[in-house]
Amino acid sequence: MVQSLNTKTAPPIAGIAYVGIGGNYGKFLIGDKAFEFFNDANVADFIQIPWETIARVEGIVAKQNKIGRQFVIVLNNKGKRKNHLRFSSKESGKILKLIREQIGNDKVVKAPTLIGTIKKKFSKRKSVKRN
């Protein structure tokens, strides 16, 4: 049996973790010390992320400012490789609010859109004049 890192948790929320090939259905446990995902099919298959290791959480916002079902947890970088973990839930808004209570407003952000990413790549950098 897996030992939870949390001492206090919100009620479990059903969702999907996109790790490896395909999605794993399971439950999210959001508590005082970590974000946890436990697979329904195999209890030994789990993800535990302490709050200190999370750089930011990106919520995907659709048109009309509606929160989409997916969100991405970006872990602290150690080197050039970025670590992204993608999750999905019908109650993603509730999950993002619980995460915001633990890590703060500044770390829960709107995910960049495809058009915004392309604009950022092709925008010209303004040169800074030195006095």
Side-chain angles (χ1 to χ4, degrees), residues 12-95:
I13 300 171
I16 304 169
Y18 297 104
V19 180
I21 298 173
N24 297 324
Y25 291 86
K27 300 276 189 287
F28 296 112
L29 283 178
I30 301 168
D32 57 345
K33 296 184 181 177
F35 175 88
E36 299 176 328
F37 176 81
F38 294 98
N39 192 342
D40 284 341
N42 183 6
V43 182
D45 186 17
F46 62 93
I47 299 170
Q48 294 178 325
I49 307 169
W51 296 123
E52 303 85 42
T53 61
I54 296 176
R56 68 182 180 278
V57 178
E58 298 177 348
I60 296 176
V61 179
K63 294 178 182 176
Q64 297 93 22
N65 290 331
K66 289 188 176 182
I67 297 173
R69 289 186 173 194
Q70 293 189 0
F71 59 96
V72 179
I73 294 180
V74 180
L75 302 176
N76 291 331
N77 288 343
K78 292 185 178 178
K80 292 183 179 180
R81 184 176 174 186
K82 293 184 179 179
N83 296 319
H84 300 282
L85 298 172
R86 185 174 296 273
F87 299 97
S88 177
S89 176
K90 287 183 180 180
E91 300 182 42
S92 62
K94 183 177 180 181
I95 292 171

